[in-house]
């Protein structure tokens, strides 16, 4: 028998060959033979369920149609009224037997799947166990692995199904019905299959389950319709096609395509099998199959009626299925040079609706079909129709002048058809860009939905144990062992960091931040319903050629839900959401932007500094509240955008200027800067050893490609580990809470000390929340449930490193007026060497320290003046200057608050030296520090911070007259314009 099937299925003309082999032509009436030969010259559609006689053997009693053509065969009025025998597709019937045999007998290799849960009815027969699972989990789709089909009769069955999938689908579905009726008869009876009344033509096919089914069929009422349509889904096809490769030659074949979902419609009911009532004679025509559009019966089956127009749909007895349309776009890595991405509509039915979300990369398995182009029909203007060309014909009433009339209803006039994809299976595409797309799914019969990634994504509000269990169920035993090894190994945090982005040399700090961003913190909901975000936002600022874009591209290839955009080419609507008009319904709908597409993922925005300010404002709400609110074109909506933002920016002017603030270096507003958890500033500084290693690394990559780097963990291992780690929900220990408060106070104190604009940006409560999120992410990376003080310290260090202190120019503390006085008479200026290790002079070894002309200072022996007559200026670092200034202002301010008379110069200097006593090692250091304080005091007087008061009144501080330099006492008071609270 198998050789017969092989010969039949391998043949080009399947129908005729089978008929010839079986010798059925001799028994077949001539009209039927002619009709079969005529139909086999080109591939026909699937046999409609509404054709031919209803079977008397099976079916429900309430399906009998009264007055149907052919039931009253006693009085044929003429030869044309006799019932035409139903055309039987012998190849389809044979394939149905073979497919049923495959489903019933296939036994899976026990090593490839894990141990099933104990609650499931187990069977060594793979698909029989799945059929039992249909009843247990209340499902209606049987998932068939194409690799299993390939093992059946040398792949001939699989080849026939691929070549003419759409033709054989009803036969395969019928085989599935027979098996469900045989092994789960009660479940099959509960969900009555409408096709069963007309499609069973051979009672021997039904097996031993159909006899028991007939017992309890009488209790079904006429108004009861199916709530489940049992269907088949195929997966693991060896070849995944591109959308651009689909041509009309692929119509009706079983194939897989890969693409990115850009838009999904809502789930609507689709009329699958309609029951019509004739308006004239009230005859009922049941189970009229709908072929992608509203299809009415051609003629009333009642002999005496003959109605062709007046039909009423009986909704209660018709069958509806869930229907959804998904717009799929080519993957960005597959678009040829200079081409626009192609799109295609994919139709989903039944259980697989809502499996594909906007923004996901998916593999769809199904058949290419041709459907009427509804959108083109609704366009204004002239409809494209096939018309008769009679431009050159004579206009009179002679022959051929008026053209052919009466042909309006014949032929295909509307040339408005397009291709769509009818999918039976949706699976996520986990391949990274550049890799060949392929499906490697391990379906476990006992747990088919989880093992094929068909379950809903893990709910963030679920407890961690449930999420971990659900994720582990989807892994094979070998993957679980590998994951267990990674979780229990030492120093996993630093090893993960080293395995991240291996092609980029160095930048461990940035890689730490990216790893924590992939982990994310813990999202929380307050009792009032406020959302506290757990996602981390990171901004990388750096000089050109410091591999900023490489990090962004790596993250986008690493994460399934990641969207890459560029700042200048992105508008506010493109980032958030746009309101567009639906081409079919004409209504306004929301089209998701980049932030919505990256929901529960990462949105990478390159050239963030080049974005317009108006477009930056659009993502304020998404970065903190994680929602997008829209009110336009009559649509008010709040959409979720639970996304982390990874931004890369160039400094203003190309290179980072360390002498100005971070705010001045990048063109960003203060509100958006405070929303970033971490800023990484990458500077391109010359360092011989670093440059050598970097150059060797780059040359090796160009020479050896993938062999140049050998990360400890592969990309797949990292992805598995991160998915598992994200299921944890760590909580703070009391010690960690106390340390968090301490570290936050420390950050705020540093911020206050440095003065306005001293740090990169002001420390706000958002930075405290950033520390909390970072600590939780570090705990997740270590797969632990508690956040310990060590994790808080690590988070604090990361935050501190991102707050770059601004380098100020060194401050000159020489008095210019005194320098002018130093002519030939005063050319003997002293040269001092500062040996104070705590406050080094900025110039290097020899810093000139000039005595400020105060006779009270003891003059040490003078050194000869440098050649050239000009002396070097005394410079100290900005930090040192601000420290001295703050101490002196505080001392004078306290005195004014109590006594109100100011502080004498001698007392002030002595007080300062006492404060610095511990730092001064020798007498020489003391003298140097004393001279320095005097110069700082002079500069403070000049900068209107202090005022000098002498016995004779107010002195402007120029001290130009030599006669006034007597041993009078000088008192310092605060200048009226000095803002003490800002110091």
């Amino acid at each position: 028998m198998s050789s017969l099937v092989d010969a039949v299925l391998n043949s080009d003309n399947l129908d005729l060959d089978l008929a010839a082999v079986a010798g059925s032509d001799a028994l077949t009436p001539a009209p039927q033979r002619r009709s079969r030969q005529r139909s086999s010259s080109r591939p026909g559609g699937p046999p409609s369920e509404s054709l031919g006689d209803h079977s008397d053997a099976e079916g429900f009693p309430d399906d009998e149609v009264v007055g149907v053509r052919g039931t009253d065969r006693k009085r044929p009025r003429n030869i044309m009224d006799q019932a035409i025998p139903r055309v039987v597709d012998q190849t389809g019937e044979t394939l149905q037997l073979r497919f049923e045999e495959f489903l019933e007998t296939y036994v899976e290799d026990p090593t490839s799947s894990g141990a099933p849960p104990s609650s499931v009815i187990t069977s060594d027969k793979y698909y029989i166990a799945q059929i039992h699972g249909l009843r247990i989990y209340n499902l209606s789709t049987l998932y068939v692995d194409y690799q299993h089909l390939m093992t059946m009769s040398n792949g001939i069955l699989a080849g026939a199904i691929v070549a003419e999938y759409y033709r054989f689908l009803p036969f395969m579905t019928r085989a599935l019905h027979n098996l469900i009726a045989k092994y789960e008869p009660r479940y099959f009876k509960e969900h009555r299959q409408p096709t069963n009344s007309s499609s069973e033509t051979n009672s021997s096919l039904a097996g031993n389950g159909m006899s028991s089914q007939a017992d309890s069929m009488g209790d079904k009422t006429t108004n009861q319709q199916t709530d489940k349509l049992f269907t088949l889904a195929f997966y693991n096809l060896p070849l995944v096609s591109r959308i651009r490769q689909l041509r009309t030659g692929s119509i009706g074949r079983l194939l897989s395509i890969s693409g990115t979902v850009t838009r999904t419609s809502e789930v609507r009911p689709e009329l699958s099998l309609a029951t019509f009532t004739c308006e004239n004679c009230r005859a009922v025509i049941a189970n009229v199959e709908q072929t992608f559009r509203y299809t009415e019966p051609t003629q009333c089956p009642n002999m005496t009626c003959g109605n062709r127009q007046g039909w009423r749909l009986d909704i209660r007895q018709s069958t509806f299925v869930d229907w959804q349309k998904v717009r799929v776009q080519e993957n960005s890595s597959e678009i040829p040079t200079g081409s626009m991405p192609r799109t295609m509509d994919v139709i989903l039915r039944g259980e697989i609706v809502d499996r594909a979300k906007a923004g996901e990369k998916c593999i769809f398995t199904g058949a290419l079909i041709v459907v009427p182009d509804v959108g083109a029909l609704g366009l204004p203007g002239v409809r494209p129709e096939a018309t008769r060309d009679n431009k050159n014909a004579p206009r009179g009433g002679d022959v051929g002048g008026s053209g052919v009339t009466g042909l309006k209803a014949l032929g295909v006039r509307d040339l408005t058809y397009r291709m769509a994809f009818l999918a039976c299976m949706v699976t996520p595409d986990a391949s990274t860009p550049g890799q060949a797309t392929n499906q490697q799914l391990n379906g476990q019969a006992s747990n088919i939905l989880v093992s094929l990634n068909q379950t809903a994504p893990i709910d963030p509000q679920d407890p961690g144990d449930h999420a971990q269990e659900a994720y582990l169920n989807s892994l094979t035993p070998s993957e679980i062992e590998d994951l267990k090894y990674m979780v229990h190994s030492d120093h996993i945090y630093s090893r993960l960091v080293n395995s991240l982005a291996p092609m980029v040399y160095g930048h461990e700090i940035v890689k730490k931040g990216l790893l924590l961003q992939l982990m994310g913190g813990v999202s929380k909901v307050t009792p009032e319903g406020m959302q506290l975000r757990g996602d981390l936002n990171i901004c990388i600022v750096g000089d050109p050629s410091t591999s900023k874009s490489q990090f962004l591209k790596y993250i986008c290839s690493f994460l399934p839900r990641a969207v890459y955009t560029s700042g200048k080419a992105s508008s506010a609507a493109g980032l958030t959401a746009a309101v567009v008009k639906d081409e079919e319904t004409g209504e306004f709908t929301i089209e998701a932007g980049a932030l919505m597409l990256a929901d529960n993922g990462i949105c990478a925005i390159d050239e963030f500094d080049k974005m317009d300010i108006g477009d930056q404002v659009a993502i304020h709400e998404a970065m903190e509240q994680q929602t997008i609110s829209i009110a336009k074109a009559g649509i008010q909506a709040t959409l979720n955008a639970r996304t982390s933002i990874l931004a890369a920016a160039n400094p203003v002017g190309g290179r980072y200027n360390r002498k100005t603030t971070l705010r001045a270096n990048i063109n960003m507003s203060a509100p958006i800067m405070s929303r970033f958890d971490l800023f990484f500033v990458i500077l391109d500084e010359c360092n011989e050893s670093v440059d050598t290693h970097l150059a060797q690394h780059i040359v090796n990559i160009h020479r050896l490609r993938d062999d140049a780097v050998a990360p400890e963990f592969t990309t797949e291992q990292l992805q598995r580990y991160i998915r598992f780690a994200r299921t944890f929900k760590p909580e703070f220990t009391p010690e960690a809470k106390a340390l968090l408060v301490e570290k936050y106070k420390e950050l705020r104190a540093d911020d206050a000390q440095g003065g306005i604009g001293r740090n990169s940006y002001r420390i706000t409560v958002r930075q405290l929340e950033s520390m909390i999120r970072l600590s939780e992410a570090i705990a997740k990376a270590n797969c632990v449930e508690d956040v310990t003080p060590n994790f808080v310290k690590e988070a604090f260090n990361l935050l501190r490193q991102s707050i770059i202190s601004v380098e100020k120019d060194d401050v000159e503390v020489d008095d210019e007026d005194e320098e002018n006085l130093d002519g030939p008479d005063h050319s003997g200026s002293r040269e001092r060497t500062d040996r104070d290790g705590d406050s080094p002079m900025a110039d290097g070894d020899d810093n000139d320290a000039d005595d400020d002309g105060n006779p009270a200072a003891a003059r040490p022996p003078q050194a000869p003046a440098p050649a050239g007559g000009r002396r070097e200026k005394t410079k100290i670092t900005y930090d040192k200057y601000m420290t001295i200034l703050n101490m002196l202002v505080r001392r004078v301010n306290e005195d004014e608050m109590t006594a109100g008379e100011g502080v004498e110069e001698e007392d002030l200097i002595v007080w300062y030296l006492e404060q610095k006593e511990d730092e001064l090692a020798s007498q020489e250091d003391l003298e140097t520090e004393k001279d320095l304080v005097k110069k700082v005091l002079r500069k403070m007087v000049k900068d209107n911070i202090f005022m000098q008061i002498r016995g004779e009144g107010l002195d402007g501080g120029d001290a130009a007259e030599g006669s006034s330099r007597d041993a009078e006492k000088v008192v310092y008071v605060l200048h009226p314009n000095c803002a003490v609270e800002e110091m």
Side-chain angles (χ1 to χ4, degrees), residues 7 14 63 85 182 254 310 415 419 433 444 525 575 672 735 887:
L14 299 175
D63 283 330
K182 179 175 178 180
L254 181 66
L415 306 179
M419 288 199 289
Q444 300 166 17
V525 181
L575 281 171
I672 210 159
E735 299 84 19
M887 289 174 71

Side-chain angles (χ1 to χ4, degrees), residues 133-135 137-141 143 187 228 230 351 448-449:
L134 292 183
R135 177 185 58 78
Y137 298 114
N138 204 20
L139 302 173
S140 64
T141 306
Y143 297 92
Y187 187 62
K228 286 201 186 316
F230 292 120
E351 277 184 354
I448 189 71
L449 283 185

Side-chain angles (χ1 to χ4, degrees), residues 663-682:
R663 171 86 189 280
N665 267 296
I666 46 178
N667 188 19
M668 277 192 217
S669 59
I672 210 159
M673 283 182 67
S674 72
R675 283 170 162 81
F676 280 109
D677 297 287
L678 290 175
F679 273 95
F680 291 117
V681 178
I682 307 177

Side-chain angles (χ1 to χ4, degrees), residues 883 887-888 890-891 894 907-920 926 929:
T883 307
M887 289 174 71
L888 297 177
R890 196 162 63 239
R891 171 78 175 82
E894 286 171 3
D907 296 345
L908 194 58
I909 293 173
V910 169
W911 174 85
Y912 172 77
L913 292 174
E914 284 173 356
Q915 304 297 315
K916 289 282 186 179
E917 192 173 352
D918 297 338
E919 299 174 13
L920 303 174
L926 182 71
E929 197 72 20

Side-chain angles (χ1 to χ4, degrees), residues 886-903 908 911 915 946 974 980:
N886 282 326
M887 289 174 71
L888 297 177
V889 168
R890 196 162 63 239
R891 171 78 175 82
V892 174
N893 188 42
E894 286 171 3
D895 192 87
E896 283 197 3
M897 289 292 186
T898 54
E901 294 179 356
V903 184
L908 194 58
W911 174 85
Q915 304 297 315
F946 281 169
L974 284 176
V980 182

